[in-house]
Amino acid sequence: MTIATTEKRLNIFPDPPQMFAQAAQHAATLLRAAQQQGRPAFLALAGGNTPRRLYQQLCRLPAEQAPAWSRVRFFFGDERAVPADHPDANYRMAQENLFLPLDISASQIHRIRTELPPEEAVADYQQQLLGLPQHDGWPCFDLVLLGMGNDGHIASLFPHSPLLADDRRSFTSGEVTQLATRRYSLTLPVLNHARQLMLLVTGQDKATTVQQAIVDTDPATPLPVQKLNPANLAWYMDSTAASQLTDGTPV
Ligand code: 6PG
C-alpha cells in the first residue's frame, strides 16, 4: 500500500507583493515544465479575492519567465451559482485579471456552465475534466491554485459539507449550509491527485486558521484544508497570515 507522502512547504514572505511575486514565478516554472513534456499545461484557478493579485502578477511576468500562455488550459477549482458575468463569479474575476490581459482564447478556457441545471453542469464539467492526463484514474492538474477561508475551507469544500465528502466524482455541486447557497467544486480526490497545489493565504484574519491547520491544534475536528495531501503542497503566506506560527518574522 503506498502512502501518499506530501511534500509540504511553508513559504512565508514579509508582505503580499513579495509573496505574489514569488508565487507567480513558481507557478510559471511549473507550467513551463509541463509544456516541456510536449503537451498543454493544465491549471485550475482559485476564486475569492486573494488570487486576484496573483493573476495580476502572472500578467506582468517578463516573456522569458512566462509559460507559453497559448498552451495553458484554464479550469476552475470552484464556482458560485451565478451567471458568468456576475460580479461574484470566479470566471468574471479571472476574465478581468487574467484572460483579457493575456489575450487567452475562449478555446483554452473551461468554464463551469452554471447556466445549466446543476446536475447537467456537473456532468458537463466532468466531461471537460476527461481531457486532462489521468493519475490513478483521476484528472491530474499540473497546478491547482487554492485560497483558504477562515473556516479552513478550500475551493467550495466547506466543513461538514457533502461536497467535501464526495469522493466518488471529480466534480460536485450542492447547497453549502454555511452560505445558504449552491456551490460547484472540484472534489478532494482531484485536488489530492494534482502534481502541485499552491495555497495562497494573506491577512491577519487567517492567522488562527493557519495555525490550527499547520500545527493541527485540534485533531478531533480536522479542517478541510487539513485533508489536502497531494504529492506537493506549497503554502504561500504573508507574515500576518503566518503570525501565529512564528513571531511573524519571515523565514
Ligand atoms: C471562492 C473560493 C474560496 C476562496 C476562499 C478564500 O469561490 O470563494 O474558491 O475557496 O478561495 O474563501 O477567499 P479570499 O481569498 O477572498 O479570502
Side-chain angles (χ1 to χ4, degrees):
M1 176 181 78
T2 56
I3 305 223
T5 54
T6 295
E7 165 69 30
K8 264 190 201 148
R9 298 183 65 80
L10 302 185
N11 303 290
I12 301 170
F13 299 85
D15 54 44
Q18 292 184 63
M19 175 194 125
F20 288 114
Q22 192 59 46
Q25 295 279 353
H26 188 183
T29 301
L30 292 164
L31 297 173
R32 287 201 315 272
Q35 292 173 340
Q36 281 154 15
Q37 296 175 25
R39 60 174 176 81
F42 293 91
L43 169 63
L45 299 174
N49 296 311
T50 306
R52 181 193 313 268
R53 296 177 66 176
L54 175 64
Y55 302 163
Q56 293 164 353
Q57 192 67 36
L58 287 171
C59 295
R60 289 197 286 267
L61 285 171
E64 67 273 13
Q65 293 175 9
W69 289 115
S70 63
R71 295 179 55 234
V72 176
R73 304 290 291 278
F74 296 86
F75 288 75
F76 289 84
D78 72 328
E79 188 56 281
R80 291 88 181 273
V82 295
D85 60 354
H86 188 282
D88 292 346
N90 292 335
Y91 172 82
R92 175 168 165 174
M93 192 271 277
Q95 178 82 336
E96 292 171 349
N97 292 281
L98 196 63
F99 300 153
L100 288 175
L102 292 177
D103 195 22
I104 302 297
S105 71
S107 64
Q108 296 174 249
I109 302 168
H110 297 263
R111 184 175 62 84
I112 299 165
R113 295 171 61 196
T114 56
E115 66 275 18
L116 297 175
E119 281 314 309
E120 284 185 37
V122 168
D124 173 76
Y125 217 60
Q126 286 178 299
Q127 192 62 31
Q128 294 192 59
L129 288 167
L130 290 178
L132 270 75
Q134 303 286 303
H135 173 200
D136 288 344
W138 294 95
C140 177
F141 282 97
D142 296 297
L143 173 59
V144 177
L145 301 174
L146 292 170
M148 185 190 74
N150 289 347
D151 58 1
H153 79 259
I154 31 106
S156 284
L157 306 179
F158 285 76
H160 318 299
S161 159
L163 281 68
L164 178 64
D166 189 341
D167 59 3
R168 307 189 60 81
R169 303 191 288 187
S170 58
F171 191 72
T172 188
S173 180
E175 286 297 306
V176 175
T177 313
Q178 295 89 331
L179 305 175
T181 185
R182 173 176 291 279
R183 283 291 188 98
Y184 295 86
S185 186
L186 293 178
T187 57
L188 203 53
V190 173
L191 301 183
N192 283 333
H193 281 85
R195 291 175 183 273
Q196 174 79 50
L197 291 185
M198 284 174 70
L199 258 173
L200 307 162
V201 187
T202 60
Q204 187 65 43
D205 64 329
K206 302 281 175 76
T208 301
T209 309
V210 165
Q211 199 267 354
Q212 182 182 343
I214 291 172
V215 183
D216 197 9
T217 49
D218 187 1
T221 53
L223 302 170
V225 68
Q226 291 177 282
K227 295 177 182 289
L228 294 176
N229 64 357
N232 294 288
L233 170 58
W235 288 76
Y236 276 85
M237 295 179 272
D238 70 336
S239 52
T240 59
S243 56
Q244 291 186 25
L245 288 181
T246 67
D247 59 6
T249 51
V251 291

